[in-house]
Amino acid sequence: MEIWINPRCGKCRTALTELDAAGVEYTVRRYLEDTPTVAELEQVLERLGLEPWDITRTDEQVAKDLGMKDWPREAGERARWIAAMAEHPVLIQRPIITADDGHAVVARTPEALKSVLPQGA
């Protein structure tokens, strides 16, 4: 299991605490320092079953500077969104957990986080 975090993010810290409490083994990726590639973002989006605009933090200053709220949200624009996230990782919603079974979630809610924990944890 891997979790993409920003250590300053409260939801990321909560997710780490819950993973530790459940005794889950995981790898931490500080995605602002270890920036995901376009290919990695495409893989994670596929595992999440989401589109890039679904995991983009459009309230970040860089998103405002790029005018992302006005970008089309359609298949032909996916590459543009993914490229922006690869270039500016602060745009990526967090925490993202990819489980060994192929399941992935944006663990911003207790329900999403629980979905990647072992049963009974």
Side-chain angles (χ1 to χ4, degrees):
M1 182 177 297
E2 182 174 77
I3 180 169
W4 292 6
I5 68 158
N6 174 347
R8 297 184 321 173
C9 168
K11 294 204 184 277
C12 293
R13 290 192 304 271
T14 297
L16 292 173
T17 299
E18 292 294 324
L19 292 174
D20 288 341
V24 175
E25 288 188 29
Y26 60 90
T27 302
V28 171
R29 180 170 185 172
R30 294 179 178 215
Y31 71 94
L32 295 177
E33 300 161 16
D34 183 8
T35 307
T37 65
V38 166
E40 287 173 316
L41 287 166
E42 288 171 345
Q43 271 185 332
V44 164
L45 286 164
E46 185 175 324
R47 289 176 74 175
L48 288 167
L50 297 173
E51 294 295 339
W53 43 86
D54 296 327
I55 67 164
T56 299
R57 298 173 57 85
T58 56
D59 288 332
E60 291 289 340
Q61 187 59 52
V62 67
K64 292 175 183 176
D65 293 346
L66 293 170
M68 292 182 83
K69 282 192 177 181
D70 297 324
W71 287 12
R73 296 173 182 225
E74 54 195 41
E77 295 291 318
R78 288 183 93 248
R80 180 182 185 193
W81 284 82
I82 293 168
M85 286 191 291
E87 186 173 344
H88 307 284
V90 72
L91 295 171
I92 302 169
Q93 193 58 265
R94 63 196 181 246
I96 293 177
I97 300 175
T98 54
D100 295 336
D101 66 1
H103 184 77
V105 296
V106 179
R108 296 195 57 75
T109 65
E111 297 78 24
L113 180 56
K114 189 173 276 192
S115 75
V116 294
L117 296 177
Q119 296 297 333

